[in-house]
Amino acid sequence: MTRPLPPLARQGHFCFLSDIPPLLRYTKSVAFAIHQKRVKIPLLMLFVGLFVGLFFAAQLQAEPTRITNPALPKESLAEMQTGLLTEQEELRAKQRVLQQEISDLEKSGKLSGKLTASLTSNLEAAKTSAGLTEIDGRGVEVVLSDARGQATAERLITAADLRDVIATLAESRPIALAIGNERLAETSSIDAVGDTILVNNTRMLPPFRIFALGDAVAMRGKLANPEKLQNLHHRQSSVGIQFDVFERSSLTIPAYTGSLYPKYLAPEVVR
Amino acid sequence: MKHYTAVFIVATLLAFLTVMQYRTAEASRAGADRTDAGLLAAADAHLYRGNRKLSADIASLEQQRAEMAQIANSSGTAESAVNTIVANFEALSGQSAASGPGIQLIAYRRLEQSELIDILNVLRGLGAEALAVNGERISLTAPLDASQFGDTITIEAIGQAQTLADGLKTKGGIIDQLRRGSPAEPTLTEAATLTVPALQTIPGQRELN
């Protein structure tokens, strides 16, 4: 609201001395009014624009009223994993007990009394070749572990790395293989779910120790060959993953603890 | 008027983009959580299946124990039963030929060493009890050279045929991988009976103490 003009100025008269202050005040108030009008509208447009922009953005990413893709929270899944791992331990313990009972039955007087010496020998040899007995001998130990520092694809040891090492060791026809405490039988698999490595469906953590019974010199030579396991050798020098091979004069490879009772396979010949 | 319109448009855009940026940042944080949750869920599913397999193994072992106890307590000889057990172990370890239901997978291109290793691993994970490539028995303790098998590779696996086939046909799985760079569609057949030979060479016994 502008101040009214001084009386004489309204009439178009200008009184030099006494009218100056009111004139000045009038000019100031008019200028202020004009300024206010010039600022008010843009400010108004600014706030309206911001509001409209917020409104559109909110509408665009509005959450539906119903959950369309419910997923268990991470905590529940982690708890479930703990429960499953506990169950796995209990099942494996039960498996070991049963294997031991079967072994004890085989060696017991009741059964062995019914078996000839050659039959007993055949049974032991068949169990050994299948991986159902603990076995000692010379061989190599291969240690693989993640590189230090921030976890990246290059720095982590993967299930594929373990499979490649096993395949390289196999070129020297080892007698027995194991990863950690898990004996590898012909039905064993080395898998991964995310960063978790599973051998015989048992979770493995680094450092991964691979044991191979057999010609230690030949196996060590294959593993050291830069043309084999190129990716592992490259990552060993570039990012520092651990890839060490040790010759061992005495290794003990544990027995396979799973069941080797074939469900689908039938031997072609039974003596 | 133009000036006011420009202010309005700029303000609208500014607010919109600010909120979008904030929500995108929130979504990628939540996305990382969902990815972790997704991996956890997959790991749990794998563990669950593994535990079910362990339970089935335990049932087999219990059956085996019961049979052995029966043999031990029977008045007759155990020769026949033990011979069957020996034959089963020899067939599983590759010391003798074996037969049974399963699948035959034919790939019409050369396979890299890592590809062949991975395919065989997948089949073992799906419960394959014996494997052969181009008629040659495969063992974890025998050399495997993918380059020797040529442009047509036939992989045979004895096991539960449907489980093996379904596992190979998983989206993004083995069949999809074999299609890449292949002149022909890979062939997957379920068979009522397959026969795989014995290993050509049995692992040596030289290093035993």
Side-chain angles (χ1 to χ4, degrees), chain B residues 15 18 22 36 46 49 70 74 90 93 95 113 117 123 126 141 165 178 184 193 209:
Chain B
T18 304
Y22 174 73
D36 289 346
H46 199 102
R49 282 195 299 271
Q70 195 179 15
S74 71
E90 288 177 346
S93 63
Q95 287 191 299
Q113 181 78 352
I117 290 170
L123 287 167
L126 291 167
T141 53
L178 290 176
T193 307
N209 283 342

Side-chain angles (χ1 to χ4, degrees), chain B residues 142-178:
Chain B
L144 179 70
D145 183 4
S147 62
Q148 75 177 52
F149 295 120
D151 295 332
T152 304
I153 299 181
T154 303
I155 301 171
E156 291 168 310
I158 293 177
Q160 218 281 353
Q162 189 169 3
T163 303
L164 294 171
D166 289 347
L168 292 174
K169 287 187 278 191
T170 309
K171 194 174 178 184
I174 298 298
I175 297 291
D176 284 344
Q177 285 177 39
L178 290 176

Side-chain angles (χ1 to χ4, degrees), chain A residues 14 18-19 39 45 89-90 111 152 181 193 214 219 235 270:
Chain A
F14 178 73
S18 60
D19 279 349
V39 167
M45 299 305 279
E89 261 316 301
E90 289 166 4
L111 192 60
T152 60
N181 286 330
V193 180
M219 287 190 284
R235 282 151 61 207
V270 179

Side-chain angles (χ1 to χ4, degrees), chain A residues 6-40:
Chain A
L8 286 173
R10 267 186 256 133
Q11 291 162 28
H13 295 288
F14 178 73
C15 293
F16 182 69
L17 285 172
S18 60
D19 279 349
I20 286 175
L23 259 176
L24 276 176
R25 283 199 296 274
Y26 174 75
T27 310
K28 262 177 82 176
S29 67
V30 167
F32 183 70
I34 292 168
H35 172 73
Q36 264 196 314
K37 196 171 178 181
R38 279 196 180 149
V39 167
K40 234 193 227 178

Side-chain angles (χ1 to χ4, degrees), chain A residues 39-52:
Chain A
V39 167
K40 234 193 227 178
I41 295 175
L43 262 179
L44 186 66
M45 299 305 279
L46 179 73
F47 285 125
V48 168
L50 283 172
F51 175 76
V52 170

Side-chain angles (χ1 to χ4, degrees), chain A residues 67-72:
Chain A
I67 298 168
T68 55
N69 186 19
L72 286 174

Side-chain angles (χ1 to χ4, degrees), chain B residues 62-85:
Chain B
E62 283 170 342
Q63 186 185 352
Q64 205 177 337
R65 182 188 58 179
E67 284 173 5
M68 299 213 84
Q70 195 179 15
I71 293 166
N73 292 323
S74 71
S75 55
T77 66
E79 194 168 326
S80 169
V82 172
N83 275 334
T84 303
I85 292 170

Side-chain angles (χ1 to χ4, degrees), chain A:
Chain A
M1 191 171 125
T2 60
R3 288 171 185 264
L5 282 169
L8 286 173
R10 267 186 256 133
Q11 291 162 28
H13 295 288
F14 178 73
C15 293
F16 182 69
L17 285 172
S18 60
D19 279 349
I20 286 175
L23 259 176
L24 276 176
R25 283 199 296 274
Y26 174 75
T27 310
K28 262 177 82 176
S29 67
V30 167
F32 183 70
I34 292 168
H35 172 73
Q36 264 196 314
K37 196 171 178 181
R38 279 196 180 149
V39 167
K40 234 193 227 178
I41 295 175
L43 262 179
L44 186 66
M45 299 305 279
L46 179 73
F47 285 125
V48 168
L50 283 172
F51 175 76
V52 170
L54 284 169
F55 178 78
F56 275 130
Q59 281 302 301
L60 197 64
Q61 298 220 6
E63 292 288 332
T65 51
R66 286 186 65 174
I67 298 168
T68 55
N69 186 19
L72 286 174
K74 247 169 76 172
E75 294 79 18
S76 295
L77 289 168
E79 271 177 36
M80 196 185 299
Q81 189 174 82
T82 306
L84 286 167
L85 286 168
T86 305
E87 186 191 22
Q88 187 185 76
E89 261 316 301
E90 289 166 4
L91 287 169
R92 294 198 86 85
K94 201 171 174 184
Q95 214 178 29
R96 284 190 289 270
V97 165
L98 279 166
Q99 290 279 18
Q100 188 59 48
E101 285 177 7
I102 289 169
S103 182
D104 291 343
L105 261 174
E106 285 168 0
K107 290 171 188 162
S108 72
K110 277 188 175 181
L111 192 60
S112 62
K114 293 171 189 280
L115 303 179
T116 59
S118 69
L119 202 53
T120 306
S121 170
N122 288 344
L123 180 59
E124 274 308 302
K127 283 177 66 179
T128 301
S129 66
L132 289 171
T133 56
E134 190 180 87
I135 193 166
D136 301 314
R138 286 185 61 210
V140 295
E141 178 184 349
V142 183
V143 182
L144 290 170
S145 195
D146 303 335
R148 290 184 189 185
Q150 192 184 0
T152 60
E154 268 208 320
R155 289 172 187 272
L156 296 179
I157 297 296
T158 63
D161 293 332
L162 299 183
R163 291 195 290 268
D164 289 344
V165 169
I166 293 291
T168 305
L169 288 165
E171 292 181 21
S172 305
R173 299 182 185 280
I175 299 155
L177 291 163
I179 301 178
N181 286 330
E182 290 298 322
R183 176 73 170 270
L184 299 185
E186 293 301 333
T187 52
S188 294
S189 64
I190 303 165
D191 304 305
V193 180
D195 294 338
T196 305
I197 293 179
L198 301 161
V199 177
N200 294 338
N201 288 311
T202 302
R203 190 174 67 165
M204 293 271 159
L205 297 169
F208 303 99
R209 297 182 189 279
I210 302 170
F211 302 101
L213 218 63
D215 186 337
V217 172
M219 287 190 284
R220 196 168 180 180
K222 297 272 184 192
L223 293 168
N225 185 343
E227 289 182 20
K228 295 191 184 290
L229 300 171
Q230 288 180 4
N231 184 265
L232 270 175
H233 285 296
H234 167 72
R235 282 151 61 207
Q236 183 183 30
S237 55
S238 65
V239 299
I241 58 159
Q242 185 181 3
F243 176 25
D244 296 319
V245 182
F246 305 100
E247 280 189 39
R248 299 292 186 211
S249 56
S250 179
L251 273 180
T252 298
I253 305 239
Y256 178 71
T257 50
S259 167
L260 286 179
Y261 209 66
K263 298 179 189 67
Y264 302 97
L265 176 147
E268 284 282 273
V269 176
V270 179
R271 294 192 189 86

